[in-house]
Amino acid sequence: DFLFFWGTVFLITTTLVALLKKENQELTPTKEETKGITDTYRLLLSIIKMPAVLTFCLLILTAKVGFSAADAVTGLKLVEEGVPKEHLALLAVPMVPLQIILPLIISKYTAGPQPLNTFYKAMPFRLLFGLEFAFLVWWTPKVKHEGGFPVYYYVVVLLSYALHQITLYSMYVAIMAFNAKVSDPLIGGTYMTLLNTVSNLGGNWPSTVALWLVDPLTVKECAGAQEQTCGTTVAAEV
């Protein structure tokens, strides 16, 4: 029902845009230097070869390694410890207005000549939240009772997620502001898209690796099977 409703809204609004919005007939000269796909990729290659861009790409590709496990695995581990998925989904609802407001507030601090200062300041706090999330996962089975989890537990989880969102968006808005600032206006769209793509990749590959490492790094114990380690997938199945 949810997907059907919003799918209908999407179809209606886009159809109205197609029918009612008129194109501007006046031709405006474009500032983009590129003419086609081949030119664009040649331009991207020349941008990537610049020493400063290479160094920056290396930094943003590795900057998020420290909190990839906390970001990718915490929710899954909480579900594994018995927290209902629907409760975690409900906790995401109050995050939506926060996610709308945060960029508006943070953009005031990233509008200056050094937007990355916000990125640097937020990073140690986001790393500390990795430890806090680890504590949260450890604490979860200790507060669980027959009726589920107490209200104060969900309050702690909600506050943890909210504070984590502040650090996450501080870094996200700062890196976007920096990319917009350093991009050459003549090729702004191409330049900025390249940097933002590398930045997104820098957040995605560590999360993928973290998820892949969960199983080999998890310590397993066999209940009711003596002299069985359960250290490998085959042993666990046996």
Side-chain angles (χ1 to χ4, degrees):
D1 289 345
F2 177 83
L3 291 173
F4 179 78
F5 173 78
W6 287 110
T8 307
V9 170
F10 181 82
L11 284 171
I12 291 169
T13 51
T14 48
T15 304
L16 288 173
V17 169
L19 294 174
L20 303 177
K21 182 74 179 77
K22 302 300 179 186
E23 293 288 345
N24 187 358
Q25 296 301 321
E26 294 180 12
L27 294 174
T28 53
T30 177
K31 289 184 178 180
E32 291 278 348
E33 288 183 352
T34 53
K35 301 296 181 185
I37 294 174
T38 309
D39 290 337
T40 303
Y41 278 102
R42 281 178 186 158
L43 187 62
L44 286 174
L45 191 62
S46 65
I47 293 169
I48 292 171
K49 286 180 179 178
M50 295 165 64
V53 175
L54 270 175
T55 305
F56 180 62
C57 286
L58 182 65
L59 288 171
I60 57 179
L61 276 172
T62 55
K64 298 175 183 176
V65 171
F67 28 77
S68 57
D71 289 0
V73 186
T74 301
L76 298 173
K77 282 294 175 185
L78 291 179
V79 171
E80 190 180 282
E81 295 294 349
V83 181
K85 282 182 281 189
E86 57 271 22
H87 290 181
L88 282 179
L90 280 173
L91 291 178
V93 175
M95 295 295 108
V96 175
L98 185 68
Q99 290 166 352
I100 295 170
I101 294 165
L102 278 174
L104 297 172
I105 297 170
I106 296 163
S107 60
K108 294 178 182 178
Y109 300 97
T110 57
Q114 295 179 315
L116 279 186
N117 282 352
T118 307
F119 185 93
Y120 300 145
K121 289 174 183 175
M123 181 175 265
F125 293 101
R126 193 170 171 187
L127 286 168
L128 286 171
F129 271 107
L131 295 174
E132 199 270 342
F133 281 168
F135 170 78
L136 195 64
V137 172
W138 171 82
W139 183 55
T140 297
K142 300 186 184 305
V143 294
K144 186 181 180 182
H145 51 72
E146 290 182 4
F149 292 88
V151 176
Y152 68 82
Y153 171 78
Y154 289 109
V155 172
V156 171
V157 173
L158 185 63
L159 284 172
S160 299
Y161 274 26
L163 292 171
H164 177 258
Q165 288 291 311
I166 294 171
T167 61
L168 188 151
Y169 271 83
S170 295
M171 294 181 70
Y172 174 74
V173 174
I175 205 78
M176 292 285 283
F178 179 79
N179 291 346
K181 194 172 186 64
V182 300
S183 298
D184 186 344
L186 286 175
I187 47 170
T190 307
Y191 206 129
M192 195 160 68
T193 302
L194 170 68
L195 295 178
N196 288 339
T197 301
V198 176
S199 180
N200 290 334
L201 184 62
N204 290 335
W205 79 260
S207 296
T208 305
V209 172
L211 287 168
W212 180 75
L213 286 172
V214 168
D215 199 45
L217 291 177
T218 300
V219 178
K220 306 178 186 72
E221 293 179 2
C222 294
Q226 293 181 352
E227 298 180 2
Q228 191 73 329
T229 61
C230 292
T232 63
T233 306
V234 176
E237 286 176 358
V238 170

